[in-house]
Amino acid sequence: MARMSDRSPEPTAPHRAGFACFVGRPNAGKSTLTNALVGTKVAITSNRPQTTRHTVRGIVHRPDAQLVLVDTPGLHKPRTLLGERLNDVVRATWSEVDVIGFCLPADQKLGPGDKFIVKELAGIKKTPKIAIITKTDLVESKALAEQLLAVHQLAAELGFEWAEIVPVSAVGDNQVQLLADLIAPLLPESPPLYPEGDLTDEPEMVMVAELIREAALEGVRDELPHSIAVVVEEMIPRENRPADRPLLDIHANVYIERPSQKGIIIGPKGSRLKEVGMKSRKHIEALLGTPVFLDLHVKVAKDWQRDPKQLRKLGF
């Protein structure tokens, strides 16, 4: 009889799963990076700063690990009660995650806002921190090298070391997978936290509201993005539709702070609001996988960013 081999099989690496959050000042590319890693749109993006208003979880499934990415609002010097609450959300998030990714755009020098965030990160002792240089497609290699050195030196000055420093371009899909490869080993050993196929744990109504807000942000004046909030009042299947031709009725309100802003959102003869509806409906139908009838109304919630009662009503 053949003798069995004395060699035991190679142990397989344990599966890992956990939470990684991306922090940085507004418009540092956190949402675009989250979407690139997940492979689909789970966070709204805009070239306007401060568009993310709550934590968005995107889920990356790999054979060896499950990365739950938490995209946070940009940490900033608050001017309103909303701003203070957004900063509280960021700090609460990074106190609970397994890995923190600090995002810094390659095309902007380290500023006071970046230094403020890194100083706060230096106080978080046990959580591994990765410096992520985003938007590398916008700079030459010399400028990128200077940015990598600057972020390394800043940590050294504050008495800590980055677990990794990674340059990425989410738009150019450059080193995005490398970033996932570097985050995975830093997560705790764990079975998957979410079922295979789940890409986010955001409620559908919240995601629909965010897609409408993203469309409303496009092309408006500089002062308006911070004044826009969207609440989906209801999402109900249209009755008496044939099974092969369903239609989902979505009723949503777009809130602004002052009556004078209403005309900007609605546009001449309602043209702008119609455009917002068309753009957002396309993304909503892709998200939900069903045809949608979108009913949008613009309402004034006076100075809602500073009013605790209004903030609660609008979900902050």
Side-chain angles (χ1 to χ4, degrees), residues 23 75-76 87 90-92 94 100 113-125 129 158 160:
V23 300
L75 199 67
H76 64 296
N87 280 354
V90 179
R91 293 190 179 100
W94 69 31
I100 298 171
D114 300 306
K115 291 172 183 173
F116 169 72
I117 294 167
V118 176
K119 198 171 181 181
E120 290 216 9
L121 292 180
I124 303 167
K125 300 298 181 191
K129 294 167 277 289
L158 293 168
F160 78 95

Side-chain angles (χ1 to χ4, degrees), residues 54-299:
H54 56 117
T55 54
V56 177
R57 287 192 178 95
I59 303 159
V60 181
H61 301 272
R62 298 161 52 105
D64 61 329
Q66 189 181 75
L67 284 59
V68 186
L69 306 173
V70 188
D71 176 28
T72 60
L75 199 67
H76 64 296
K77 191 174 181 179
R79 295 192 301 272
T80 63
L81 181 59
L82 172 65
E84 287 173 20
R85 290 194 178 174
L86 295 183
N87 280 354
D88 290 343
V89 164
V90 179
R91 293 190 179 100
T93 301
W94 69 31
S95 69
E96 295 169 354
V97 296
D98 303 297
V99 180
I100 298 171
F102 167 64
C103 293
L104 172 71
D107 63 332
Q108 297 169 32
K109 290 223 181 303
L110 266 166
D114 300 306
K115 291 172 183 173
F116 169 72
I117 294 167
V118 176
K119 198 171 181 181
E120 290 216 9
L121 292 180
I124 303 167
K125 300 298 181 191
K126 291 183 180 175
T127 311
K129 294 167 277 289
I130 294 178
I132 305 164
I133 311 301
T134 60
K135 308 184 184 184
T136 57
D137 52 299
L138 300 179
V139 296
E140 300 291 331
S141 55
K142 183 174 181 287
L144 177 57
E146 288 170 0
Q147 194 76 310
L148 293 168
L149 186 60
V151 77
H152 168 75
Q153 286 176 339
L154 180 58
E157 285 166 19
L158 293 168
F160 78 95
E161 199 173 322
W162 301 107
E164 302 282 353
I165 302 177
V166 195
V168 303
S169 167
V171 173
D173 194 23
N174 185 22
Q175 303 219 119
V176 172
Q177 288 315 307
L178 172 64
L179 176 60
D181 293 343
L182 295 171
I183 292 172
L186 299 174
L187 300 175
E189 292 182 19
S190 165
L193 303 170
Y194 290 89
E196 182 72 38
D198 282 12
L199 298 178
T200 180
D201 66 353
E202 281 288 290
E204 283 183 346
M205 284 177 86
V206 172
M207 290 195 73
V208 167
E210 286 292 272
L211 290 171
I212 295 167
R213 188 164 69 91
E214 180 179 42
L217 282 170
E218 287 183 28
V220 295
R221 292 183 189 173
D222 287 351
E223 76 276 8
L224 209 51
H226 310 293
S227 303
I228 297 172
V230 177
V231 175
V232 174
E233 298 296 337
E234 60 179 6
M235 291 170 37
I236 44 175
R238 179 81 59 91
E239 290 182 1
N240 303 320
R241 295 279 296 186
D244 60 341
R245 290 180 58 223
L247 186 66
L248 186 68
D249 286 320
I250 298 178
H251 301 277
N253 291 325
V254 179
Y255 288 94
I256 33 88
E257 293 192 292
R258 295 187 297 279
S260 60
Q261 296 170 335
K262 214 168 178 178
I264 300 170
I265 289 291
I266 294 172
K269 297 182 179 175
S271 59
R272 182 140 170 68
L273 189 63
K274 188 178 177 185
E275 194 180 326
V276 169
M278 284 165 58
K279 279 187 177 171
S280 56
R281 192 178 74 239
K282 192 170 69 175
H283 289 301
I284 293 165
E285 289 180 341
L287 171 74
L288 302 178
T290 185
V292 160
F293 172 78
L294 184 58
D295 178 37
L296 291 180
H297 293 272
V298 180
K299 296 192 172 185

